[in-house]
Amino acid sequence: MDIVFKRSWVEIDLNRLVLNYRSIVSKLEAGQQVMAVIKADAYGHGDVPAALALQAAGCGFFAVATLPEAVHLRNAGVHGELLVLGYTPAEYAGELVRYDITQALLNEEYASHLAAQGQPVKCHFALDTGMTRIGLDGSDAAACERVIRSVHEAGILRVAGVFTHLSSADMDDEASAEYTRAQMDRFRAVATRLEDLHLPYVHCLNSAGALRHNDGLGNIVRAGIILYGIEPDDSDPAQDGLLPVLSWKSVIAEIRNVREGTPVSYGRTFTAPKPMTLAVIPTGYADGYNRLLSNRGHVLIRGKRAPVVGRICMDQMMVDISGIPEAKVEDTVTLLGTDGGLSVTASDLARLSGTIGYETVCAISNRVPRSYTGKKN
Ligand SMILES: *Cc1c(COP(=O)(O)O)cnc(C)c1O
């Protein structure tokens, strides 16, 4: 374990990341491979350590959101396929080629701007089959085919794949399942029309799609959140054999006894209803602990729950440790993770703060140092 500054810090278990990867691989259909989605600093887990651990485990496909994220990984020794899923200004065509990075084509106009740079950029065409974000209009398969063939035949851009993105694969109501099937059918229609091009990469499944809707469509599965041991719908990851990779720890900086009627923190939103013992924790919303957890969140100390009292501050928060008389200054505090028999998951905090597990881990700021256990590369 690396030595970190123990004020507020994150511990990443790379062995668990690799176990999740293997578990996902074991459930794929024949001919499919995992593309590890490691955008946004691997959802807050650290892009380079995550990518190198997965690369060592045999993963050869990676996706990020931006060109700088991709270059960062290349420079750190990631040598597999690297796909940028979002917008890159066309003027960076030279960098895409120099670093051997594949760019998503957002639409026909974007493709022509990129091609106008005259660089042999590797590309995957995005299809909009119902997400209403980027991509060619997937409701018109013939038009998609025409555009993709014309860009392919122009011979400047190297069209190596087509992909789409599912909007509702994490929802289990029947209307959403039907919507997902319709998206996949639209995608299948375009992919079938292009079969003679033998595009090496055909992909439509995200984590939720891989877990719940994998009928063998496509040869790549873009897995993000499940690699990190978090369910896309914030359900229990154990149901799919997934292990949470990230724990977030802090310490007790100060303990104080307060009298009944004592107001706590900004705006006095909490007033002690009785004499209480509070602990001051040096983690706040600038560290990424959501301010909506004010008076709602809880942390773990000595295997017991301590509720957040009053507003979360920028750099600190207060918790009620009246029920944990054995707690001492400098005790480790678990914000996310397990302590004794109890656990707080990213999804737990997400539910309490009206968001999703994805945002909970992505929001942990870079003021919070990451330390790693397990094999790095
Ligand atoms: C972020 C993203 C993914 C990964 O989604 P998960 O739900 O984390 O698996 C896959 N594809 C695209 C296009 C994305 O933007």
Side-chain angles (χ1 to χ4, degrees), residues 261-306:
T262 306
V264 179
S265 195
Y266 290 119
R268 309 186 314 283
T269 60
F270 180 88
T271 302
K274 55 180 194 314
M276 292 177 88
T277 306
L278 305 183
V280 178
I281 313 298
T283 296
Y285 63 77
D287 300 291
Y289 198 86
N290 199 312
R291 189 169 167 280
L292 296 174
L293 293 166
S294 298
N295 290 308
R296 305 198 64 172
H298 56 260
V299 304
L300 305 177
I301 295 169
R302 298 204 179 219
K304 294 180 181 159
R305 276 182 211 288

Side-chain angles (χ1 to χ4, degrees), residues 68-373:
E69 288 179 345
V71 170
H72 187 235
L73 290 168
R74 264 292 177 262
N75 286 337
V78 173
H79 37 70
E81 291 289 326
L82 264 170
L83 170 63
V84 175
L85 294 165
Y87 175 75
T88 300
E91 68 206 78
Y92 290 93
E95 276 68 27
L96 287 164
V97 172
R98 177 162 352 119
Y99 290 97
D100 188 24
I101 291 162
T102 305
Q103 173 61 44
L105 295 178
L106 281 57
N107 52 53
E108 189 173 6
E109 188 186 21
Y110 180 80
S112 74
H113 287 172
L114 195 59
Q117 307 294 313
Q119 299 277 350
V121 181
K122 269 204 261 176
C123 298
H124 292 189
F125 240 113
L127 303 180
D128 176 14
T129 57
M131 174 72 182
T132 316
R133 196 167 64 179
I134 59 168
L136 301 173
D137 178 0
S139 65
D140 187 343
C144 290
E145 179 188 2
R146 267 199 308 282
V147 172
I148 294 170
R149 281 192 193 279
S150 79
V151 173
H152 183 72
E153 280 156 19
I156 301 168
L157 302 178
R158 305 283 187 259
V159 181
V162 285
F163 74 102
T164 195
H165 194 50
L166 303 174
S167 74
S168 310
D170 58 327
M171 300 166 74
D172 60 9
D173 61 292
E174 187 44 42
S176 297
E178 202 172 297
Y179 196 81
T180 299
R181 284 192 292 274
Q183 281 201 268
M184 291 172 69
D185 287 344
R186 284 186 207 115
F187 183 67
R188 198 184 326 263
V190 178
T192 304
R193 284 168 172 269
L194 298 169
E195 259 166 11
D196 61 296
L197 297 182
H198 302 289
L199 298 177
Y201 306 108
V202 175
H203 43 113
C204 66
L205 301 173
N206 52 9
S207 288
L211 291 176
R212 320 264 183 255
H213 299 278
N214 190 353
D215 63 2
L217 178 58
N219 59 5
I220 293 279
V221 167
R222 300 187 309 271
I225 198 75
I226 51 178
L227 281 172
Y228 311 105
I230 300 167
E231 287 281 345
D233 63 358
D234 288 317
S235 56
D236 179 4
Q239 70 188 309
D240 291 302
L242 300 170
L243 304 163
V245 171
L246 180 151
S247 305
W248 188 1
K249 306 276 175 70
S250 191
V251 296
I252 297 180
E254 176 178 298
I255 292 178
R256 49 197 304 150
N257 296 308
V258 299
R259 282 192 293 270
E260 178 184 336
T262 306
V264 179
S265 195
Y266 290 119
R268 309 186 314 283
T269 60
F270 180 88
T271 302
K274 55 180 194 314
M276 292 177 88
T277 306
L278 305 183
V280 178
I281 313 298
T283 296
Y285 63 77
D287 300 291
Y289 198 86
N290 199 312
R291 189 169 167 280
L292 296 174
L293 293 166
S294 298
N295 290 308
R296 305 198 64 172
H298 56 260
V299 304
L300 305 177
I301 295 169
R302 298 204 179 219
K304 294 180 181 159
R305 276 182 211 288
V308 173
V309 291
R311 288 203 181 132
I312 309 281
C313 309
M314 186 183 289
D315 319 298
Q316 306 177 74
M317 68 170 107
M318 277 61 82
V319 300
D320 174 14
I321 56 165
S322 305
I324 318 173
E326 65 276 31
K328 298 257 178 323
V329 165
E330 293 180 1
D331 273 1
T332 297
V333 174
T334 300
L335 308 175
L336 241 178
T338 62
D339 180 10
L342 296 180
S343 72
V344 178
T345 66
S347 296
D348 291 337
L349 289 188
R351 267 188 299 274
L352 290 170
S353 50
T355 184
I356 51 178
Y358 294 77
E359 189 182 3
T360 301
V361 285
C362 284
I364 303 173
S365 77
N366 57 16
R367 187 164 83 180
V368 179
R370 270 67 169 169
S371 86
Y372 295 88
T373 53

